[in-house]
Each structure stands twice: as C-alpha cells, then as structure tokens.
Amino acid sequence: MIQSMVREFSRKVVAGTAAERDRTKEFPAENLKKMGELGLMGMMVPPEYEGQGADTISYVLALSEIAYSCASTAVVMSVQNSIVCESINKFGTEEQKEKFLKPLASGKVIGAFALTEPEAGSDPVRQSATAVRDGDYYVLNGDKRFITSGKNAKTVIVTAKTDESNQHKGISAFIVTKGTPGFIVGNVEEKMGLRASDTTDLIFEDCRVPAENLLGDEGDGFKIAMTGLDGGRIGIAAQSVGLAQAAFDEAVKYAKKRKQFGQSISKFQGLRWKIADMATEIEAARQLMFLAASMKDRGEKYTTQASMAKLFASEMVNRIAATALQMHGGYGFIKDYPVERLYRDARVFTIYEGTSEIQRIVISNNILKDKRKL
Ligand code: CAA
C-alpha cells in the first residue's frame, strides 16, 4: 500500500517538474511539504514523535519511488529520514525529541547532517571543527563541506572535537539550529547532478550552542555518525534502485519505439541482451537493499550488508544509466530525453555517504574480524 501510494504521488506530482528543477536548481520545497503531510519525512520515527512508525522495508520502497521521479528530492528525503531523524530518535533525550524530532519527522522542518570537512571526507576522525565547553554552552568553530540541504535545513546535526587528544572518542555531535549567531551558510556548490538539492559549506564562528543540544554523551559523535551512515547507506541503495529503474524503463520504451534498419531496435539481439542484463542487475541490487533493510528491522547487525547494498547498487545504477544513454544513441546526449539527467544524477551515488572504496574497506574489515560471516 505504501509503495502504491508513493508511486502514484511520485509520478503525478514529483516527476512533472524534475527536469525543470534540474535546470533552475529550484529546491522542491512544496513537494517536500506534501511529502511531510504524507508521512514520508520521518517514516521510521514512532508516532508519538509525529513519525509513521514504519519499518525500513516500507521506507526503502517509498524512497525508491521518489528517486524514480526526482533524485534531488530523494536525497533530501533520505538524509532527513536516515541520518537526521534516526540519529535523534536513537540518541536524543526526551526534550530533544519533543523540540527537534517532532518538526523534522512531520516534515515541517528540513534537517541536515554535518560531518564532512574540506580536509576530512573519507576520514572524518581527522576533522578539525572544535566545540569547547563554556558554562551552559559549547562554543563551536570550524568549517563543514558538501552538506546536503545546508541552505534549506533549519536543524543540523554537527560533529566537532570536544577532546582533541582523543581520536574518534573525542568527537561529539550537537543539534544546531539556523539563526544561532555564528552559524553561517557558506558557498552553495554548482553541481553536475542532483541540482535541485542544495549542497553547501557550513561555517561556525564562535557559535554558542546550548549544552542541552549535545546529542548522546560527549565523545559519542563518531558512533552516532557511523550508526546513522549505516542506515543512510541503505537509503543510497534505495535511491540507486529507483533511479536505475527509471533509466531502464526509459531505455526499454525508446528501444521499442525507435526504428533502424527497417525494424524496432528492440529486435536486435545486442540490445535484447543489454535489456536482460540490466533487469537482472537492478533486481540483484533490490534484493541486497531488502536484505540490509530486513536485517535492520529484525534488530540484527547490518553494517556489512548496508555497505554491500550501497556499493553494488550505486555502481549498478551508473552502469545502467550509461547503458540506457547509449541505447538512446545521439538522443541520449541531449536534454530532451530524461536519461541525460539520470546519468548525471547517478554519478554521485558511488561517492556520497562513503565512497565505493570506503564500502569495500567496511565490508572487508567486518569479514576479516568476524569469521562467522564467511
Ligand atoms: N556503527 C557503530 N560504530 C561503529 C561503526 C558502525 N557502523 N563503524 C565503526 N564504529 C566504531 C567502532 O566500533 C570503533 O569504536 P570503538 O573504538 O569504541 O570500538 C570506532 O567507531 C572506530 O572504528 P574504526 O577503527 O573502524 O574507524 P576508522 O577511523 O578506521 O574509520 C571508516 C572507519 C569506515 C573508514 C569511517 O571513517 C567511514 O565510514 N568513512 C566514510 C565517511 C562517510 O561515509 N562520509 C560521508 C559523509 S556524510 C554524507 O555524505 C551525507 C550527505 O549529506 C549525503
């Protein structure tokens, strides 16, 4: 039911303006508001905090359907649900949930997650933002980079070092709201894809954050980030599956319609085999996504499977989008056909929320330290 409802909404409401938003970079605020009303912005948050209390399987189905129509809208939904809402729901105090989670889960407020820095991407332990306790406040200083929804978010989870001598255990997480003096939105990136989703620098200059906004305990920041990214990576798999399905459907539609050498190009074995391989790869990624989501729902440790799903699905969608574009011939290279946008949007999936190379480190580390998984 959730999948059918979101599919209808996505194709009727979200799809219509995706190409135009790609051109203008206009943030899909209206559609996100409607998605909040439909319960899509805090799907896994319990109803007492204005979420839907849905499971991860329902969430990935919904997210794939949004990604089918607009990957920019999907990444905002993904960050909001997977990293922002889930982190506050899991690690927040009752007061933090009342104050910050409720507006996020109901979609009234957009959230962001600020871990990455100019010199700390794959290796966030070496981040240099600092938070120094001063009475009832922490004073934040530092620069964050590539923050999804950095401009449009009102509530941001920010990590910073509270103990510089203590590697990952010296990192803490804070809930910081827009409007706090010293919290500045910096450069908005000009991107190749996902153009309707803003990606920005966030700058903190002697930004005084109430101590009650510390998420978890001092030193929990890295654990909170890693836990959030486990769920986030299932979300990227879902985005990949949704976008791949869209590129595939466009390719099949085009192959059936396009005639060369006196017949539909779908009659040529070279293309038929591509269609078979594409469908098989999408299904394999979908099953990995379901595996990780169902393990999370059962309360099992799913870090390895989330990384496998993210790795395979994000690389799969880049192959599918490239093949779909190739099947369109010259028409794939112009903006009249959606595959051109889909190809650009897919490119970042192997990069954000941990590159393919990082996923391979996570998977191999977990296999080598836990022989039962072999
Ligand atoms: N869940 C909970 N805890 C975890 C964890 C997980 N998945 N992974 C690691 N930890 C804990 C470990 O247990 C360990 O804690 P203890 O010492 O207490 O046991 C601690 O974290 C350190 O673990 P490692 O030694 O494995 O850490 P590491 O420094 O070697 O790094 C890494 C591990 C996997 C490379 C990690 O740094 C990583 O994932 N890097 C990529 C970062 C990333 O994905 N960035 C994306 C930015 S966010 C983004 O893109 C969002 C967006 O806006 C779209």
Side-chain angles (χ1 to χ4, degrees), residues 112-333:
F113 177 77
L115 172 75
T116 301
E117 297 186 356
E119 301 301 329
S122 290
D123 186 10
V125 171
R126 278 168 219 265
Q127 61 185 266
S128 52
T130 55
V132 178
R133 181 89 191 222
D134 179 17
D136 290 339
Y137 290 84
Y138 284 90
V139 183
L140 254 66
N141 278 289
D143 296 346
K144 297 290 174 179
R145 176 147 295 169
F146 299 147
I147 307 308
T148 300
S149 305
K151 186 172 144 209
N152 287 286
K154 284 218 166 64
T155 301
V156 185
I157 298 176
V158 184
T159 61
K161 287 226 151 157
T162 38
D163 178 358
E164 291 191 63
S165 65
N166 209 347
Q167 296 285 308
H168 67 271
K169 290 200 171 95
I171 296 173
S172 302
F174 301 89
I175 305 171
V176 190
T177 50
K178 261 313 154 48
T180 309
F183 177 2
I184 302 151
V185 176
N187 179 44
V188 180
E189 302 292 351
E190 182 67 50
K191 294 176 297 180
M192 168 182 179
L194 300 188
R195 290 169 52 79
S197 137
D198 55 295
T199 304
T200 76
D201 281 358
L202 295 180
I203 300 153
F204 298 90
E205 283 177 1
D206 291 330
C207 177
R208 293 176 74 80
V209 178
E212 69 212 28
N213 288 15
L214 174 70
L215 190 58
D217 292 325
E218 258 194 35
D220 279 351
F222 190 69
K223 186 175 74 185
I224 292 171
M226 289 298 114
T227 309
L229 282 168
D230 279 350
R233 287 165 185 169
I234 305 179
I236 308 302
Q239 290 172 49
S240 302
V241 168
L243 194 150
Q245 190 66 53
F248 176 72
D249 289 354
E250 288 297 329
V252 170
K253 190 167 76 185
Y254 184 82
K256 281 181 169 169
K257 199 181 63 184
R258 174 77 169 166
K259 286 199 171 64
Q260 290 291 279
F261 302 100
Q263 61 178 350
S264 156
I265 60 170
S266 66
K267 296 268 190 308
F268 293 110
Q269 191 180 46
L271 287 201
R272 296 178 86 98
W273 286 19
K274 281 196 206 312
I275 288 169
D277 287 344
M278 290 160 95
T280 307
E281 282 206 63
I282 297 170
E283 197 51 44
R286 187 179 282 120
Q287 295 307 322
L288 271 176
M289 169 189 85
F290 282 145
L291 172 69
S294 61
M295 287 176 75
K296 177 168 179 281
D297 285 338
R298 288 195 298 269
E300 296 169 14
K301 188 148 176 47
Y302 66 96
T303 301
T304 308
Q305 287 72 18
S307 283
M308 286 176 170
K310 199 271 183 190
L311 170 64
F312 184 80
S314 64
E315 299 209 332
M316 172 282 296
V317 70
N318 276 280
R319 289 192 294 272
I320 300 296
T323 308
L325 192 152
Q326 183 71 19
M327 284 169 67
H328 280 70
Y331 290 109
F333 196 61

Side-chain angles (χ1 to χ4, degrees), residues 35-64:
M35 285 162 63
E37 286 156 12
L38 288 173
L40 300 179
M41 298 305 276
M43 285 187 73
M44 294 165 290
V45 172
E48 61 261 39
Y49 301 115
E50 300 195 15
Q52 293 302 303
D55 59 11
T56 316
I57 292 284
S58 307
Y59 165 61
V60 293
L61 286 170
L63 184 54
S64 296

